[in-house]
Amino acid sequence: MEELIEKLKLQIIEQLNLEDVEPDEIDPEEPLFGDGLGLDSIDALELIVLLEKEYGIKIENPKDGQKIFFSVKSLAEYILAHQK
Amino acid sequence: MTTKRTHITIRNNKIFKNGVLFFEAAPYLTLKDFLKAAWKNLKVKYPKFYKMDEVSKLGVLAAEILLIDEPHKAFNEEEVGVILSNAHSTLVTDTEHWNSVKDDSNFFPSPAVFVYTLPNIMVGEICIKHKFKGENAFFITEQYDAEMIFQHFNLLKTQNKIKAAIGGWVDQSQDDYLVEMFWAE
């Protein structure tokens, strides 16, 4: 789990071009959207692509996105539970 | 009467303000790295810059330097327009997007790339950054035609739609780039 969280931090920084953000600055339980990293709707779409491209996971129900992408930790938990 | 004041040129990893060298990076740097170095040099806190495509970055960077002396502060937000032009539209970004969708077995289009596949997005980025709400336009022409930009500005001014504008040329092709941007009022 810890290893996946660290990998996800790096992938999020690279995929979303978070130029001035270091992995250590991302609290795994901090919200990704709103107050936390301040990501926007395009970033949300990029995360959906990342999930599919890197982990082969498709989100079937868009309503689940809010829960899955709440934080790096929730994203890691979802990947571990759904990766084939 | 239209007054042309500050003028920015960006080419060959150099930025000139009113003909004087403002910033220079090593010629071997890629455009992406040059843009990053030039933006960091300005010490402007605006993380969204790094999410833009290169041609938008060129426009936003030039506008930021153009407005350092705050000529726009003499006008209301609705009185400032943006009139830009180029020859290659967003062809570099269009190609990047095409490369991500042309292969059905590796079909992963990036939303963050796709949103920049229109040149007027650059105008939008400049307007968002500086809160401009005046008329704007983006023309595609084979060559830079400053006179045409001035004529359009004067037309909008005559119609009392704007009183000042950022105008010019922000072009990027696969091999080269050039920015000629000015402030007019």
Side-chain angles (χ1 to χ4, degrees):
Chain A
M1 177 80 159
E2 286 304 312
E3 199 179 319
L4 178 58
I5 283 176
E6 291 310 309
K7 187 179 170 189
L8 278 170
K9 285 183 184 178
L10 291 171
Q11 287 177 324
I12 289 169
I13 288 170
E14 191 190 341
Q15 191 74 20
L16 306 186
N17 292 312
L18 304 178
E19 179 62 30
D20 292 323
V21 178
E22 295 294 330
D24 291 349
E25 294 173 48
I26 303 177
D27 180 341
E29 297 191 36
E30 192 182 36
L32 286 169
F33 295 86
D35 293 341
L37 279 180
L39 305 185
D40 60 21
S41 56
I42 298 296
D43 294 322
L45 295 172
E46 282 294 331
L47 288 178
I48 292 170
V49 174
L50 185 146
L51 201 57
E52 191 176 340
K53 190 175 178 181
E54 301 295 332
Y55 299 95
I57 299 172
K58 259 189 179 177
I59 297 177
E60 302 297 342
N61 186 353
K63 284 181 183 170
D64 294 339
Q66 209 171 351
K67 217 188 305 177
I68 298 164
F69 297 118
F70 177 77
S71 66
V72 176
K73 190 181 172 191
S74 64
L75 182 56
E77 285 169 347
Y78 187 81
I79 290 169
L80 289 176
H82 291 82
Q83 206 172 19
K84 289 164 192 168
Chain B
M1 184 186 149
T2 297
T3 312
K4 187 174 161 183
R5 290 168 47 165
T6 313
H7 177 251
I8 305 295
T9 300
I10 305 179
R11 64 167 187 262
N12 302 330
N13 289 3
K14 291 178 183 168
I15 303 174
F16 298 88
K17 185 176 179 184
N18 296 329
V20 178
L21 186 64
F22 176 87
F23 178 81
E24 182 178 18
Y28 58 79
L29 281 190
T30 61
L31 175 57
K32 184 184 176 186
D33 289 340
F34 162 69
L35 288 163
K36 185 173 159 182
W39 189 254
K40 283 192 180 288
N41 178 62
L42 290 176
K43 297 182 173 58
V44 176
K45 268 272 175 195
Y46 197 64
K48 195 167 184 249
F49 179 82
Y50 301 107
K51 295 173 181 252
M52 298 174 197
D53 72 341
E54 289 173 350
V55 76
S56 286
K57 281 180 183 169
L58 279 167
V60 170
L61 172 67
E64 195 68 30
I65 298 166
L66 190 70
L67 300 173
I68 282 176
D69 302 325
E70 302 187 332
H72 55 300
K73 296 289 184 188
F75 301 90
N76 295 328
E77 294 168 348
E78 293 80 9
E79 293 172 339
V80 182
V82 180
I83 308 160
L84 295 175
S85 59
N86 76 14
H88 291 89
S89 185
T90 51
L91 196 56
V92 173
T93 306
D94 297 349
T95 305
E96 187 181 348
H97 176 64
W98 168 242
N99 286 333
S100 71
V101 297
K102 67 182 178 186
D103 181 0
D104 284 346
S105 63
N106 189 27
F107 187 89
F108 291 106
S110 160
V113 171
F114 178 71
V115 292
Y116 286 99
T117 55
L118 278 174
N120 51 328
I121 298 298
M122 178 205 306
V123 172
E125 293 288 10
I126 293 170
C127 290
I128 290 167
K129 175 75 177 65
H130 299 284
K131 300 182 172 63
F132 296 152
K133 295 175 184 168
E135 289 276 325
N136 62 65
F138 200 104
F139 296 102
I140 308 294
T141 54
E142 284 188 18
Q143 291 179 327
Y144 180 34
D145 187 347
E147 190 54 38
M148 183 199 72
I149 302 285
F150 268 109
Q151 279 177 15
H152 191 71
F153 170 59
N154 283 325
L155 176 70
L156 292 173
K157 210 169 66 161
T158 308
Q159 295 172 341
N160 288 319
K161 289 187 173 168
I162 54 174
K163 291 183 179 173
I166 286 176
W169 176 263
V170 185
D171 191 48
Q172 181 199 15
S173 64
Q174 297 289 355
D175 314 315
D176 206 2
Y177 64 89
L178 174 66
V179 178
E180 297 284 359
M181 189 180 277
F182 60 83
W183 173 259
E185 57 186 65

